[in-house]
């Protein structure tokens, strides 16, 4: 099994823009999905991302906060999962019910194993 990072991208303030009914529906769908990943032993971590992110850059030995590129798209959350290969990880991403509830893109990245 390999580890994969899934980055959930949406538009706007997803958690505050949804109606109470839609948010409740999304939480129920997500709970079932996450529960199944846990049961299958495929979920290592998952969290929504809150407002207030910062981007740090280094140039010529100077560290500074820099603005994010102007876009409506935001990172809404992430999952770290285990899957046999990238195709299996993509299948897990495609099964995420967020696609039913919110306009979404999911990036799937294989994580490199490091010793130590």
């Amino acid at each position: 099994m390999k580890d994969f990072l899934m980055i959930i991208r949406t538009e706007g303030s997803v958690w505050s823009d949804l109606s109470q009914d839609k948010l409740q529906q999304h939480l129920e769908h997500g709970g079932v999905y996450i529960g199944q990943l846990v049961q299958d032993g495929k979920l290592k971590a998952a969290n929504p991302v809150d407002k207030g992110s910062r981007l740090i850059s280094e140039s010529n030995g100077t560290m500074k906060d820099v603005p994010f590129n102007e876009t409506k798209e935001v990172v809404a959350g992430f999952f770290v999962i285990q899957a046999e290969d990238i195709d299996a990880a993509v299948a897990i991403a495609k099964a995420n019910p967020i696609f039913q509830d919110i306009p979404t893109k999911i990036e799937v990245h294989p994580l490199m194993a490091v010793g130590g």
Side-chain angles (χ1 to χ4, degrees):
M1 295 286 259
K2 295 181 69 167
D3 291 346
F4 294 86
L5 173 65
M6 297 190 320
I7 299 173
I8 314 297
R9 294 188 177 275
T10 62
E11 289 189 9
S13 300
V14 174
W15 313 123
S16 59
D17 288 351
L18 289 177
S19 70
Q20 281 300 105
D21 289 342
K22 272 296 235 190
L23 180 59
Q24 184 61 38
Q25 180 183 33
H26 172 66
L27 293 174
E28 289 171 9
H29 292 158
V32 171
Y33 175 73
I34 289 170
Q36 188 63 54
L37 290 176
V38 169
Q39 184 176 336
D40 294 345
K42 294 182 179 179
L43 182 66
K44 294 188 85 174
N47 271 91
V49 173
D50 204 354
K51 295 177 185 177
S53 297
R54 309 239 330 243
L55 182 61
I56 310 303
S57 176
E58 185 276 333
S59 178
N60 299 320
T62 302
M63 300 291 284
K64 60 182 176 179
D65 287 346
V66 295
F68 285 94
N69 292 334
E70 287 294 321
T71 179
K72 292 181 181 180
E73 196 171 76
V74 296
V75 174
F78 73 92
F79 287 75
V80 177
I81 61 165
Q82 289 187 320
E84 292 295 323
D85 56 29
I86 188 74
D87 293 328
V90 167
I92 290 170
K94 286 180 177 180
N96 192 318
I98 195 169
F99 289 113
Q100 300 169 9
D101 303 328
I102 301 164
T104 300
K105 295 177 185 172
I106 298 181
E107 298 177 20
V108 180
H109 299 273
L111 297 176
M112 293 174 47
V114 293

